[in-house]
Amino acid sequence: ARDTLDSDRPREMSSTSYSALAQRALVAPNPKHHKARSVRASGGRKYQWWGSSATIGNSRSAEDLRAKATAAAKEAEAEELAPQEWAKEWRGSFEGDADALKSFMGEVTSRLEGIECRFIVVGDGGILESVQPMPGEARFAELGPKGTCCTIASPTKEFEAHVMLAKVREVALARSERGGGRIYAIRLFGEAGEDAPAKSVMTILLNGLGEGGVSDEAIEKWESLAECLPGA
């Protein structure tokens, strides 16, 4: 067998390399995996956490590796958390501030444009669900005493969702686990009764029922909506 070349051995990345950046900013929770390493692979190098055979990426593209390392760190972090600790909710009040709510609904459509979502409306005697890619724009119409109506519609108008903004008091971004799956929700809440919780006006979920579940890109865009919530 030929002698092992230095380039074939796992090596710690230099402080100027991306993997060194991963060491500082994308540290996996497992103490064994605090540093990244690279080993030779066809078409470039493959990158792993030290002490682990889990591959972060295999590419010549630093940008591609950055995305893969970010996803690997997030996945490792989520796996280390118990369901009750991983679950989280960001909530903001829009009561009496229609302009802020209009702005938030606009951000929902623009940031999640093209991402498959499940729209859910629960009535007294029925539940309506529809899975659609999020349209890229929300339209608003003033309907006199009823206030502002927000319309989210597909280009063909085969799908339309209407929300009367005056009925919405709070909005929550909530992530949770159910039946072994992870749920990412935008929940619009109306008024609460004297002895009852606030009623749901509409819920929008990132649809994760297809192959591969919810993408990392969709989750990042969903999380970014927290900065649009008042007081969140």
Side-chain angles (χ1 to χ4, degrees):
R2 67 182 179 85
D3 293 336
T4 302
L5 299 175
D6 287 342
S7 58
D8 290 329
R9 295 191 182 100
R11 63 184 178 88
E12 187 174 338
M13 307 304 289
S14 69
S15 60
T16 56
S17 71
Y18 172 68
S19 290
L21 176 62
Q23 294 169 23
R24 298 193 297 272
L26 301 172
V27 175
N30 189 323
K32 293 181 181 178
H33 304 170
H34 282 320
K35 292 183 178 181
R37 67 175 185 170
S38 77
V39 295
R40 271 184 94 177
S42 59
R45 286 185 173 272
K46 64 180 180 181
Y47 294 78
Q48 301 172 336
W49 299 118
W50 279 105
S52 171
S53 60
T55 299
I56 298 171
N58 184 348
S59 174
R60 293 183 181 276
S61 166
E63 193 170 312
D64 182 47
L65 288 169
R66 183 179 294 111
K68 288 177 179 177
T70 301
K74 283 191 172 185
E75 183 178 350
E77 180 183 4
E79 287 176 353
E80 291 288 319
L81 295 174
Q84 64 270 23
E85 295 173 347
W86 181 83
K88 187 171 182 179
E89 181 180 275
W90 297 263
R91 187 179 288 244
S93 173
F94 289 93
E95 190 163 5
D97 196 344
D99 288 339
L101 185 53
K102 285 172 65 175
S103 176
F104 177 80
M105 296 302 291
E107 292 293 337
V108 168
T109 54
S110 63
R111 298 190 188 201
L112 300 184
E113 181 179 6
I115 293 172
E116 196 169 78
C117 295
R118 181 177 295 271
F119 294 79
I120 305 172
V121 176
V122 179
D124 291 337
I127 300 174
L128 177 64
E129 298 189 26
S130 180
V131 176
Q132 297 286 334
M134 177 65 73
E137 182 182 9
R139 293 182 287 108
F140 303 95
E142 298 300 327
L143 302 181
K146 293 183 178 180
T148 304
C149 176
C150 170
T151 297
I152 301 173
S154 64
T156 61
K157 304 293 180 68
E158 291 179 344
F159 167 80
E160 291 191 22
H162 305 280
V163 181
M164 301 305 299
L165 299 187
K167 297 291 186 180
V168 178
R169 296 290 183 269
E170 288 186 318
V171 174
L173 297 179
R175 68 185 191 193
S176 59
E177 287 198 34
R178 186 181 304 165
R182 288 177 174 168
I183 297 172
Y184 303 86
I186 303 169
R187 304 189 190 280
L188 310 183
F189 290 105
E191 287 185 303
E194 188 172 331
D195 298 313
K199 287 187 176 183
S200 172
V201 176
M202 179 182 290
T203 297
I204 303 172
L205 307 179
L206 299 186
N207 189 49
L209 296 181
E211 185 177 347
V214 179
S215 70
D216 292 333
E217 179 186 9
I219 294 170
E220 283 189 20
K221 290 180 177 180
W222 175 86
E223 288 177 343
S224 76
L225 289 170
E227 67 194 31
C228 305
L229 292 173

